[in-house]
Amino acid sequence: MTPFVTSCAPAAGRIIIKEACVDEGAAWLAEQDPRFAMALAQCGPLPLRRKPDGFGQLLSAIVSQQVSVASANAIWQRLIAARLTTQAENLAATEDDLRAAGLSRQKVRYACALAQEDIDFDALRDMPTDRVIKALTQVTGVGVWTAEIYAMFSLGRADVFAPGDLALQEAAKALFDLPDRPKERELRQLAEAWSPWRSVAARILWAYYHIAKDREGIR
């Protein structure tokens, strides 16, 4: 498992490495918009949500695509039990092995495609976020949402958002009293005002979603 990122090249921007970073971003957002302050008062301290980087975490993000948090957690635990979370293990596995661990036929194809790629995960640490997204979305099965989630949690980028996320859309609708759930493009535009702490804004919205819906919005 690749260790946590603790430093970066200037092009990578601000990196969230500890709770104090999240607290700093949350304080800035609360000062910018009282609705964030209201959400924070209800949600309490935000989780760090940092994860290691590397093959396993990108595969984990693929597993999380378009399924509930509970389902994604269950499938991931089955992959761990079956020893199918590393690149080498996936290269050696059959499609039946991956299906038996709970992956759909489509995600079996994605897992196999990811295993066959030679991604330089170390190089991603120093890339600007837009280049990280571009590089990862060249891989079959890695869409923009998956790449943004990886950049946010595994690379610790402070200023990345995932506006295609349904829970973020629902939370934004509730928190900002919008007439309809915002579409991806609308939410991306709305989130521009939360730069340079868009990933902390996402943490607030996921926490608020949990309060408003009594459901987890992200693993």
Side-chain angles (χ1 to χ4, degrees):
M1 185 175 290
T2 310
F4 289 118
V5 179
T6 57
S7 62
C8 66
R14 179 70 181 266
I15 301 298
I16 291 177
I17 58 174
K18 55 186 178 180
E19 286 83 357
C21 302
V22 178
D23 293 344
E24 180 184 345
W28 185 89
L29 289 161
E31 184 176 340
Q32 300 301 310
D33 194 315
R35 288 165 293 194
F36 279 127
M38 181 191 73
L40 286 164
Q42 296 182 50
C43 301
L46 299 173
L48 178 59
R49 293 194 182 279
R50 277 306 309 271
K51 297 180 179 180
D53 60 345
F55 177 89
Q57 290 303 321
L58 189 54
L59 177 62
S60 177
I62 290 174
V63 168
S64 296
Q65 293 172 357
Q66 299 181 326
V67 297
S68 69
V69 171
S71 294
N73 283 335
I75 294 168
W76 187 247
Q77 289 304 312
R78 290 173 66 178
L79 287 168
I80 291 173
R83 299 183 182 276
L84 292 173
T85 60
T86 71
Q87 184 174 15
E89 289 165 350
N90 274 257
L91 282 171
T94 66
E95 292 188 6
D96 287 342
D97 292 334
L98 294 167
R99 286 280 288 162
L103 293 184
S104 66
R105 292 189 183 279
Q106 184 178 53
K107 289 186 180 178
V108 166
R109 183 165 66 88
Y110 294 169
C112 292
L114 177 62
Q116 291 165 8
E117 290 286 339
D118 190 21
I119 299 173
D120 186 346
F121 287 101
D122 289 345
L124 294 179
R125 298 176 179 182
D126 296 335
M127 286 184 187
T129 298
D130 58 347
R131 286 186 56 197
V132 170
I133 305 301
K134 183 176 180 180
L136 291 180
T137 53
Q138 301 303 306
V139 181
T140 299
V142 179
V144 173
W145 177 89
T146 304
E148 288 169 337
I149 293 297
Y150 183 86
M152 190 182 302
F153 295 147
S154 289
L155 297 181
R157 302 302 169 89
D159 196 29
V160 62
F161 199 70
D165 187 87
L166 180 61
L168 291 181
Q169 294 172 0
E170 290 284 0
K173 177 181 182 295
L175 183 60
F176 294 96
D177 196 25
L178 302 176
D180 301 298
R181 177 166 60 85
K183 302 295 186 183
E184 181 174 353
R185 182 176 179 181
E186 180 184 353
L187 186 54
R188 189 177 296 278
Q189 292 174 340
L190 183 65
E192 289 177 1
W194 309 332
S195 180
W197 289 107
R198 282 178 286 187
S199 71
V200 178
R203 285 166 169 81
I204 296 173
L205 289 172
W206 276 313
Y208 190 72
Y209 177 84
H210 179 66
I211 296 294
K213 302 292 184 178
D214 194 27
R215 296 174 59 188
E216 293 293 342
I218 194 71
R219 291 177 66 206

PDB file of all heavy atoms in Angstrom, residues 7 14 22 43 45 47 52 78 86 124 130 132 138 140 143 149 152 166-168 170 205 208-209:
ATOM      1  N   SER A   7       3.828  15.729   0.975  1.00  0.00           N
ATOM      2  CA  SER A   7       4.345  16.938   0.369  1.00  0.00           C
ATOM      3  C   SER A   7       4.019  16.906  -1.111  1.00  0.00           C
ATOM      4  O   SER A   7       3.580  15.901  -1.639  1.00  0.00           O
ATOM      5  CB  SER A   7       5.864  17.038   0.573  1.00  0.00           C
ATOM      6  OG  SER A   7       6.513  15.959  -0.066  1.00  0.00           O
ATOM      7  N   ARG A  14      -2.466  23.110  -2.725  1.00  0.00           N
ATOM      8  CA  ARG A  14      -2.567  22.797  -1.298  1.00  0.00           C
ATOM      9  C   ARG A  14      -2.976  21.342  -1.107  1.00  0.00           C
ATOM     10  O   ARG A  14      -3.901  20.853  -1.763  1.00  0.00           O
ATOM     11  CB  ARG A  14      -3.596  23.725  -0.643  1.00  0.00           C
ATOM     12  CG  ARG A  14      -3.813  23.487   0.858  1.00  0.00           C
ATOM     13  CD  ARG A  14      -2.587  23.911   1.652  1.00  0.00           C
ATOM     14  NE  ARG A  14      -2.796  23.648   3.080  1.00  0.00           N
ATOM     15  CZ  ARG A  14      -3.265  24.546   3.948  1.00  0.00           C
ATOM     16  NH1 ARG A  14      -3.587  25.762   3.546  1.00  0.00           N
ATOM     17  NH2 ARG A  14      -3.420  24.223   5.216  1.00  0.00           N
ATOM     18  N   VAL A  22      -8.369  20.569   7.288  1.00  0.00           N
ATOM     19  CA  VAL A  22      -9.820  20.560   7.093  1.00  0.00           C
ATOM     20  C   VAL A  22     -10.466  21.663   7.919  1.00  0.00           C
ATOM     21  O   VAL A  22     -11.359  22.379   7.443  1.00  0.00           O
ATOM     22  CB  VAL A  22     -10.411  19.187   7.466  1.00  0.00           C
ATOM     23  CG1 VAL A  22     -11.932  19.198   7.320  1.00  0.00           C
ATOM     24  CG2 VAL A  22      -9.810  18.087   6.595  1.00  0.00           C
ATOM     25  N   CYS A  43     -23.333  19.542  11.970  1.00  0.00           N
ATOM     26  CA  CYS A  43     -22.566  18.335  11.651  1.00  0.00           C
ATOM     27  C   CYS A  43     -21.402  18.079  12.605  1.00  0.00           C
ATOM     28  O   CYS A  43     -20.955  16.928  12.736  1.00  0.00           O
ATOM     29  CB  CYS A  43     -22.021  18.431  10.232  1.00  0.00           C
ATOM     30  SG  CYS A  43     -23.289  18.619   8.967  1.00  0.00           S
ATOM     31  N   PRO A  45     -17.365  18.431  13.929  1.00  0.00           N
ATOM     32  CA  PRO A  45     -16.061  18.337  13.253  1.00  0.00           C
ATOM     33  C   PRO A  45     -16.130  17.426  12.020  1.00  0.00           C
ATOM     34  O   PRO A  45     -16.774  16.378  12.049  1.00  0.00           O
ATOM     35  CB  PRO A  45     -15.145  17.751  14.324  1.00  0.00           C
ATOM     36  CG  PRO A  45     -15.811  18.092  15.620  1.00  0.00           C
ATOM     37  CD  PRO A  45     -17.276  18.041  15.349  1.00  0.00           C
ATOM     38  N   PRO A  47     -14.657  14.861   9.121  1.00  0.00           N
ATOM     39  CA  PRO A  47     -13.629  13.812   9.055  1.00  0.00           C
ATOM     40  C   PRO A  47     -12.522  14.184   8.083  1.00  0.00           C
ATOM     41  O   PRO A  47     -12.742  14.913   7.116  1.00  0.00           O
ATOM     42  CB  PRO A  47     -14.415  12.599   8.555  1.00  0.00           C
ATOM     43  CG  PRO A  47     -15.551  13.174   7.773  1.00  0.00           C
ATOM     44  CD  PRO A  47     -15.922  14.447   8.486  1.00  0.00           C
ATOM     45  N   PRO A  52      -4.707   6.248   1.446  1.00  0.00           N
ATOM     46  CA  PRO A  52      -3.473   6.050   0.671  1.00  0.00           C
ATOM     47  C   PRO A  52      -3.746   6.238  -0.818  1.00  0.00           C
ATOM     48  O   PRO A  52      -4.901   6.241  -1.254  1.00  0.00           O
ATOM     49  CB  PRO A  52      -3.090   4.593   0.983  1.00  0.00           C
ATOM     50  CG  PRO A  52      -3.867   4.236   2.207  1.00  0.00           C
ATOM     51  CD  PRO A  52      -5.126   5.031   2.146  1.00  0.00           C
ATOM     52  N   ARG A  78     -15.342  -8.161   0.363  1.00  0.00           N
ATOM     53  CA  ARG A  78     -15.243  -9.453  -0.337  1.00  0.00           C
ATOM     54  C   ARG A  78     -13.985  -9.492  -1.208  1.00  0.00           C
ATOM     55  O   ARG A  78     -13.322 -10.532  -1.308  1.00  0.00           O
ATOM     56  CB  ARG A  78     -16.501  -9.700  -1.182  1.00  0.00           C
ATOM     57  CG  ARG A  78     -17.733  -9.968  -0.341  1.00  0.00           C
ATOM     58  CD  ARG A  78     -18.992 -10.040  -1.168  1.00  0.00           C
ATOM     59  NE  ARG A  78     -19.003 -11.182  -2.073  1.00  0.00           N
ATOM     60  CZ  ARG A  78     -20.030 -11.464  -2.878  1.00  0.00           C
ATOM     61  NH1 ARG A  78     -21.101 -10.684  -2.891  1.00  0.00           N
ATOM     62  NH2 ARG A  78     -19.970 -12.520  -3.665  1.00  0.00           N
ATOM     63  N   THR A  86      -4.914  -5.772  -5.291  1.00  0.00           N
ATOM     64  CA  THR A  86      -3.673  -5.248  -5.854  1.00  0.00           C
ATOM     65  C   THR A  86      -3.656  -5.459  -7.360  1.00  0.00           C
ATOM     66  O   THR A  86      -4.415  -6.273  -7.908  1.00  0.00           O
ATOM     67  CB  THR A  86      -2.434  -5.919  -5.241  1.00  0.00           C
ATOM     68  OG1 THR A  86      -2.353  -7.275  -5.711  1.00  0.00           O
ATOM     69  CG2 THR A  86      -2.491  -5.901  -3.719  1.00  0.00           C
ATOM     70  N   LEU A 124       1.522  11.125 -10.296  1.00  0.00           N
ATOM     71  CA  LEU A 124       0.260  11.847 -10.113  1.00  0.00           C
ATOM     72  C   LEU A 124       0.330  12.803  -8.928  1.00  0.00           C
ATOM     73  O   LEU A 124      -0.348  13.837  -8.909  1.00  0.00           O
ATOM     74  CB  LEU A 124      -0.884  10.866  -9.882  1.00  0.00           C
ATOM     75  CG  LEU A 124      -1.268   9.943 -11.043  1.00  0.00           C
ATOM     76  CD1 LEU A 124      -2.404   9.024 -10.623  1.00  0.00           C
ATOM     77  CD2 LEU A 124      -1.662  10.745 -12.281  1.00  0.00           C
ATOM     78  N   ASP A 130      -5.988  19.222 -12.792  1.00  0.00           N
ATOM     79  CA  ASP A 130      -6.632  19.014 -14.094  1.00  0.00           C
ATOM     80  C   ASP A 130      -5.900  17.948 -14.907  1.00  0.00           C
ATOM     81  O   ASP A 130      -6.531  17.164 -15.629  1.00  0.00           O
ATOM     82  CB  ASP A 130      -6.746  20.324 -14.884  1.00  0.00           C
ATOM     83  CG  ASP A 130      -5.400  21.002 -15.143  1.00  0.00           C
ATOM     84  OD1 ASP A 130      -4.391  20.631 -14.526  1.00  0.00           O
ATOM     85  OD2 ASP A 130      -5.379  21.919 -15.997  1.00  0.00           O
ATOM     86  N   VAL A 132      -4.211  15.429 -13.506  1.00  0.00           N
ATOM     87  CA  VAL A 132      -4.536  14.163 -12.840  1.00  0.00           C
ATOM     88  C   VAL A 132      -5.853  13.625 -13.390  1.00  0.00           C
ATOM     89  O   VAL A 132      -5.966  12.445 -13.753  1.00  0.00           O
ATOM     90  CB  VAL A 132      -4.640  14.355 -11.314  1.00  0.00           C
ATOM     91  CG1 VAL A 132      -5.211  13.101 -10.658  1.00  0.00           C
ATOM     92  CG2 VAL A 132      -3.277  14.690 -10.722  1.00  0.00           C
ATOM     93  N   GLN A 138      -8.338   8.575 -18.909  1.00  0.00           N
ATOM     94  CA  GLN A 138      -7.954   7.823 -20.104  1.00  0.00           C
ATOM     95  C   GLN A 138      -8.124   6.326 -19.883  1.00  0.00           C
ATOM     96  O   GLN A 138      -8.111   5.545 -20.835  1.00  0.00           O
ATOM     97  CB  GLN A 138      -6.483   8.112 -20.460  1.00  0.00           C
ATOM     98  CG  GLN A 138      -6.170   9.573 -20.735  1.00  0.00           C
ATOM     99  CD  GLN A 138      -7.022  10.154 -21.846  1.00  0.00           C
ATOM    100  OE1 GLN A 138      -7.069   9.623 -22.951  1.00  0.00           O
ATOM    101  NE2 GLN A 138      -7.694  11.258 -21.557  1.00  0.00           N
ATOM    102  N   THR A 140     -10.101   2.987 -19.052  1.00  0.00           N
ATOM    103  CA  THR A 140     -11.461   2.471 -19.176  1.00  0.00           C
ATOM    104  C   THR A 140     -12.078   2.262 -17.793  1.00  0.00           C
ATOM    105  O   THR A 140     -11.481   1.620 -16.933  1.00  0.00           O
ATOM    106  CB  THR A 140     -11.467   1.130 -19.932  1.00  0.00           C
ATOM    107  OG1 THR A 140     -10.941   1.337 -21.246  1.00  0.00           O
ATOM    108  CG2 THR A 140     -12.873   0.553 -20.033  1.00  0.00           C
ATOM    109  N   GLY A 143     -14.202   7.420 -14.809  1.00  0.00           N
ATOM    110  CA  GLY A 143     -14.835   8.646 -15.260  1.00  0.00           C
ATOM    111  C   GLY A 143     -14.367   9.830 -14.437  1.00  0.00           C
ATOM    112  O   GLY A 143     -13.528   9.705 -13.543  1.00  0.00           O
ATOM    113  N   ILE A 149     -12.738  11.929  -7.054  1.00  0.00           N
ATOM    114  CA  ILE A 149     -12.723  11.311  -5.727  1.00  0.00           C
ATOM    115  C   ILE A 149     -11.308  10.857  -5.366  1.00  0.00           C
ATOM    116  O   ILE A 149     -10.846  11.042  -4.239  1.00  0.00           O
ATOM    117  CB  ILE A 149     -13.709  10.126  -5.674  1.00  0.00           C
ATOM    118  CG1 ILE A 149     -15.153  10.622  -5.797  1.00  0.00           C
ATOM    119  CG2 ILE A 149     -13.525   9.312  -4.401  1.00  0.00           C
ATOM    120  CD1 ILE A 149     -15.606  11.537  -4.672  1.00  0.00           C
ATOM    121  N   MET A 152      -9.251  13.887  -4.547  1.00  0.00           N
ATOM    122  CA  MET A 152      -9.664  14.485  -3.284  1.00  0.00           C
ATOM    123  C   MET A 152      -9.142  13.711  -2.082  1.00  0.00           C
ATOM    124  O   MET A 152      -8.569  14.286  -1.155  1.00  0.00           O
ATOM    125  CB  MET A 152     -11.198  14.558  -3.234  1.00  0.00           C
ATOM    126  CG  MET A 152     -11.768  15.372  -2.099  1.00  0.00           C
ATOM    127  SD  MET A 152     -13.591  15.350  -2.076  1.00  0.00           S
ATOM    128  CE  MET A 152     -13.988  15.988  -3.704  1.00  0.00           C
ATOM    129  N   LEU A 166     -24.294  12.382  -6.598  1.00  0.00           N
ATOM    130  CA  LEU A 166     -25.712  12.564  -6.274  1.00  0.00           C
ATOM    131  C   LEU A 166     -25.901  13.112  -4.860  1.00  0.00           C
ATOM    132  O   LEU A 166     -26.738  13.996  -4.632  1.00  0.00           O
ATOM    133  CB  LEU A 166     -26.457  11.236  -6.432  1.00  0.00           C
ATOM    134  CG  LEU A 166     -27.959  11.270  -6.117  1.00  0.00           C
ATOM    135  CD1 LEU A 166     -28.692  12.217  -7.047  1.00  0.00           C
ATOM    136  CD2 LEU A 166     -28.549   9.856  -6.224  1.00  0.00           C
ATOM    137  N   ALA A 167     -25.137  12.595  -3.896  1.00  0.00           N
ATOM    138  CA  ALA A 167     -25.288  13.070  -2.518  1.00  0.00           C
ATOM    139  C   ALA A 167     -24.909  14.543  -2.398  1.00  0.00           C
ATOM    140  O   ALA A 167     -25.568  15.304  -1.671  1.00  0.00           O
ATOM    141  CB  ALA A 167     -24.435  12.224  -1.569  1.00  0.00           C
ATOM    142  N   LEU A 168     -23.866  14.972  -3.091  1.00  0.00           N
ATOM    143  CA  LEU A 168     -23.489  16.385  -3.069  1.00  0.00           C
ATOM    144  C   LEU A 168     -24.579  17.238  -3.694  1.00  0.00           C
ATOM    145  O   LEU A 168     -24.889  18.342  -3.205  1.00  0.00           O
ATOM    146  CB  LEU A 168     -22.164  16.608  -3.803  1.00  0.00           C
ATOM    147  CG  LEU A 168     -20.910  16.035  -3.145  1.00  0.00           C
ATOM    148  CD1 LEU A 168     -19.679  16.366  -3.990  1.00  0.00           C
ATOM    149  CD2 LEU A 168     -20.732  16.544  -1.722  1.00  0.00           C
ATOM    150  N   GLU A 170     -27.816  16.533  -3.812  1.00  0.00           N
ATOM    151  CA  GLU A 170     -28.958  16.559  -2.889  1.00  0.00           C
ATOM    152  C   GLU A 170     -28.671  17.459  -1.692  1.00  0.00           C
ATOM    153  O   GLU A 170     -29.549  18.202  -1.223  1.00  0.00           O
ATOM    154  CB  GLU A 170     -29.283  15.142  -2.418  1.00  0.00           C
ATOM    155  CG  GLU A 170     -29.881  14.240  -3.490  1.00  0.00           C
ATOM    156  CD  GLU A 170     -31.342  14.564  -3.773  1.00  0.00           C
ATOM    157  OE1 GLU A 170     -31.897  15.484  -3.139  1.00  0.00           O
ATOM    158  OE2 GLU A 170     -31.932  13.899  -4.635  1.00  0.00           O
ATOM    159  N   LEU A 205     -20.777  19.182   2.719  1.00  0.00           N
ATOM    160  CA  LEU A 205     -22.027  18.763   2.076  1.00  0.00           C
ATOM    161  C   LEU A 205     -22.309  17.280   2.314  1.00  0.00           C
ATOM    162  O   LEU A 205     -23.462  16.895   2.535  1.00  0.00           O
ATOM    163  CB  LEU A 205     -21.977  19.071   0.581  1.00  0.00           C
ATOM    164  CG  LEU A 205     -22.062  20.562   0.229  1.00  0.00           C
ATOM    165  CD1 LEU A 205     -21.797  20.779  -1.259  1.00  0.00           C
ATOM    166  CD2 LEU A 205     -23.425  21.137   0.608  1.00  0.00           C
ATOM    167  N   TYR A 208     -23.550  17.082   5.795  1.00  0.00           N
ATOM    168  CA  TYR A 208     -24.913  17.624   5.857  1.00  0.00           C
ATOM    169  C   TYR A 208     -25.913  16.644   5.242  1.00  0.00           C
ATOM    170  O   TYR A 208     -27.041  16.501   5.730  1.00  0.00           O
ATOM    171  CB  TYR A 208     -24.974  18.974   5.143  1.00  0.00           C
ATOM    172  CG  TYR A 208     -26.271  19.713   5.361  1.00  0.00           C
ATOM    173  CD1 TYR A 208     -26.556  20.285   6.595  1.00  0.00           C
ATOM    174  CD2 TYR A 208     -27.205  19.847   4.340  1.00  0.00           C
ATOM    175  CE1 TYR A 208     -27.746  20.967   6.809  1.00  0.00           C
ATOM    176  CE2 TYR A 208     -28.392  20.526   4.539  1.00  0.00           C
ATOM    177  CZ  TYR A 208     -28.662  21.083   5.774  1.00  0.00           C
ATOM    178  OH  TYR A 208     -29.847  21.755   5.981  1.00  0.00           O
ATOM    179  N   TYR A 209     -25.505  15.974   4.196  1.00  0.00           N
ATOM    180  CA  TYR A 209     -26.364  14.950   3.578  1.00  0.00           C
ATOM    181  C   TYR A 209     -26.698  13.868   4.595  1.00  0.00           C
ATOM    182  O   TYR A 209     -27.829  13.394   4.674  1.00  0.00           O
ATOM    183  CB  TYR A 209     -25.640  14.348   2.372  1.00  0.00           C
ATOM    184  CG  TYR A 209     -26.388  13.228   1.672  1.00  0.00           C
ATOM    185  CD1 TYR A 209     -27.353  13.506   0.710  1.00  0.00           C
ATOM    186  CD2 TYR A 209     -26.105  11.888   1.953  1.00  0.00           C
ATOM    187  CE1 TYR A 209     -28.031  12.493   0.062  1.00  0.00           C
ATOM    188  CE2 TYR A 209     -26.782  10.872   1.316  1.00  0.00           C
ATOM    189  CZ  TYR A 209     -27.737  11.181   0.363  1.00  0.00           C
ATOM    190  OH  TYR A 209     -28.420  10.167  -0.283  1.00  0.00           O
TER     191      TYR A 209
END
